[in-house]
């Protein structure tokens, strides 16, 4: 299969980059794909810690998980795996553009608040201005609570000229609990929550194909 | 007649208007890693020498005023006046 690079980036921390990167990596791994999950945040390295927790608790590996200080070092692995999944640092920089330029799809997670939506859209604008194709940029709604805020957030993103993924990630303690144990948000003990998270991951896949 | 009522009733979203393309952020030129904070400036403390030593003593108010007055009149530092006074005393002492 064609080697695919997908990146999760944002200007802010806590919007769900690692959560979605883990879920996507899990889904890809469970369907038999070779996965490299690159954590580009050396200061936190939360994905590496999460995967260690996963293995220690006896759950299946999702593939190769590694922390990289420089985005360029992670990009070198693009040809060795079916999916290279880049989990960006909690700020935008030249490295964000670097990973966006080699990505088949750039996912910008955002919570449903103006404080999160504004920087997410501004970063999407900036990536577009730097030559990243608009159809390679998608925003993903995370940590949402009510249908009305989802509706307003979708309208906000659509009005900005960018694409928002179908499905969204709800703010649920069970998602946090699953990740505490080294599982992803598509592997909670509640099938309904798994399906909702899976819908978001499926939406990402549909934009890759 | 066309019904525009639905258009005018369009509710404004709770998040307001999204930023326009010309309001894009300007972060993609920033370095990959934030520059380290500058080292806090440390006030240099001059190393102590043994060229001079503290020489504290208490004098009367009158003595202090007269001593300072003489130093000012002759353009001397107080320490220079004190040294001159010592030399004068030694001279007087030798002539005794």
């Amino acid at each position: 299969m064609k080697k695919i690079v997908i990146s999760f980036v944002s200007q802010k921390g806590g919007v769900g980059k690692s959560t979605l990167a883990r879920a996507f990596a899990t889904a890809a791994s469970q369907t038999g794909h070779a996965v490299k999950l690159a954590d580009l945040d050396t200061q936190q390295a939360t994905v590496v810690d999460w995967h260690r927790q996963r293995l220690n608790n006896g759950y299946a590996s999702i593939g190769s998980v590694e922390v990289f200080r420089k985005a360029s070092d992670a990009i070198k692995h693009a040809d060795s795996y079916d999916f290279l999944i880049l989990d960006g640092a909690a700020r935008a920089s030249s490295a964000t553009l670097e990973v966006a330029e080699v990505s088949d799809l750039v996912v910008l997670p955002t919570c449903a608040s103006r404080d999160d939506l504004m920087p997410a859209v501004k970063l999407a604008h900036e990536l577009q201005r730097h030559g990243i194709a608009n159809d390679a940029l998608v925003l993903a709604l995370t940590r949402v609570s009510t249908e009305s805020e989802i509706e307003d957030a979708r309208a906000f993103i659509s009005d900005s000229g960018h694409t928002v993924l179908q499905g969204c990630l709800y703010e649920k303690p069970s998602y946090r609990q699953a990740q505490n144990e080294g599982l992803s948000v598509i592997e909670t003990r509640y099938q309904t929550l798994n399906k909702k998270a899976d819908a978001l991951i499926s939406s990402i896949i549909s934009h890759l194909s | 007649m066309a019904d525009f009522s639905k258009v005018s009733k369009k509710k404004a979203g709770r998040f307001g208007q999204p930023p326009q393309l010309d309001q894009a952020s300007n972060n993609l030129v920033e370095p990959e890693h934030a520059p380290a904070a500058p080292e806090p400036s440390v006030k240099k403390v001059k190393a102590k020498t043994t060229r001079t030593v503290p020489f504290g003593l208490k004098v009367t108010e009158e003595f202090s005023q007269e001593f300072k007055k003489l130093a000012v009149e002759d353009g001397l530092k107080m320490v220079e006046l004190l040294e001159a006074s010592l030399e004068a005393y030694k001279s007087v002492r030798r002539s005794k």
Side-chain angles (χ1 to χ4, degrees):
Chain A
M1 68 172 276
K2 176 186 176 293
K3 309 296 182 189
I4 290 174
V5 181
I6 177 167
S7 53
F8 296 85
V9 301
S10 76
Q11 170 59 26
K12 296 187 66 177
V15 292
K17 290 183 300 296
S18 298
T19 297
L20 294 184
R22 293 166 185 175
F24 188 88
T26 304
S29 173
Q30 287 176 347
T31 48
H33 295 95
V35 171
K36 178 82 172 181
L37 177 53
D39 188 342
L40 301 181
D41 194 340
T42 51
Q43 287 182 317
Q44 301 189 60
T46 50
V47 171
V48 172
D49 181 66
W50 166 81
H51 197 240
R52 188 184 302 121
Q53 184 78 345
R54 182 180 180 88
L55 300 180
N56 287 343
N57 287 337
Y59 300 115
S61 166
I62 57 109
S64 173
V65 180
E66 193 175 349
V67 63
F68 291 92
R69 178 161 170 76
K70 291 172 71 181
S72 54
D73 291 337
I75 292 166
K76 290 174 189 167
H77 294 267
D79 291 333
S80 307
Y81 296 86
D82 294 332
F83 285 99
L84 172 63
I85 301 160
L86 302 164
D87 179 20
R91 63 184 277 271
S93 69
S94 56
T96 310
L97 181 58
E98 200 176 347
V99 299
E101 283 172 339
V102 298
S103 294
D104 296 277
L105 188 68
V106 183
V107 181
L108 294 89
T110 174
C111 305
S113 73
R114 187 174 163 85
D115 285 348
D116 292 308
L117 286 162
M118 286 294 278
V121 168
K122 285 184 175 183
L123 178 57
H125 282 343
E126 193 181 0
L127 285 165
Q128 193 180 350
R129 208 174 58 188
H130 278 81
I132 306 300
N134 203 22
D135 58 5
L137 289 171
V138 289
L139 282 84
L141 286 173
T142 60
R143 306 183 68 172
V144 294
S145 297
T146 66
E147 294 305 317
S148 67
E149 74 174 3
I150 294 169
E151 187 183 332
D152 282 354
R154 286 193 183 286
F156 183 93
I157 295 167
S158 297
D159 289 350
S160 75
H162 294 288
T163 304
V164 58
L165 291 170
Q166 292 301 308
C168 48
L169 198 64
Y170 288 81
E171 177 77 12
K172 296 287 181 186
S174 298
Y175 285 141
R176 287 195 291 276
Q177 183 55 32
Q179 295 199 91
N180 289 341
E181 296 169 13
L183 293 169
S184 71
V185 291
I186 58 170
E187 299 173 299
T188 74
R189 63 186 71 176
Y190 302 105
Q191 287 306 311
T192 312
L193 292 183
N194 295 347
K195 279 183 184 171
K196 285 181 177 174
D198 195 58
L200 185 57
I201 301 304
S202 298
S203 181
I204 295 174
I205 294 166
S206 70
H207 277 83
L208 285 169
S209 57
Chain B
M1 188 176 180
D3 179 11
F4 280 83
S5 60
K6 286 183 182 175
V7 175
S8 60
K9 280 180 183 173
K10 188 184 178 188
K11 200 172 69 173
R14 74 185 74 187
F15 305 120
Q17 289 298 310
Q20 300 298 306
L21 200 54
D22 59 3
Q23 294 174 292
S25 52
N26 196 29
N27 297 314
L28 298 178
V29 293
E30 296 296 324
E32 181 165 3
H33 296 283
E39 291 290 323
S41 60
V42 179
K43 191 179 178 183
K44 284 186 179 175
V45 178
K46 284 184 178 175
K48 281 186 178 179
T49 68
T50 54
R51 189 176 61 80
T52 57
V53 294
F55 189 74
L57 69 165
K58 287 189 175 182
V59 295
T60 63
E61 181 68 28
E62 294 77 25
F63 180 89
S64 173
Q65 286 181 359
E66 190 178 8
F67 195 84
K68 287 178 182 175
K69 184 168 173 280
L70 276 174
V72 170
E73 283 176 0
D74 293 355
L76 297 171
K77 293 177 181 172
M78 288 206 292
V79 67
E80 289 169 340
L81 179 55
L82 186 62
E83 287 167 353
S85 304
L86 179 62
E87 290 303 316
Y89 177 75
K90 287 194 292 189
S91 175
V92 170
R93 194 164 172 256
R94 277 194 296 273
S95 65
K96 276 184 183 174

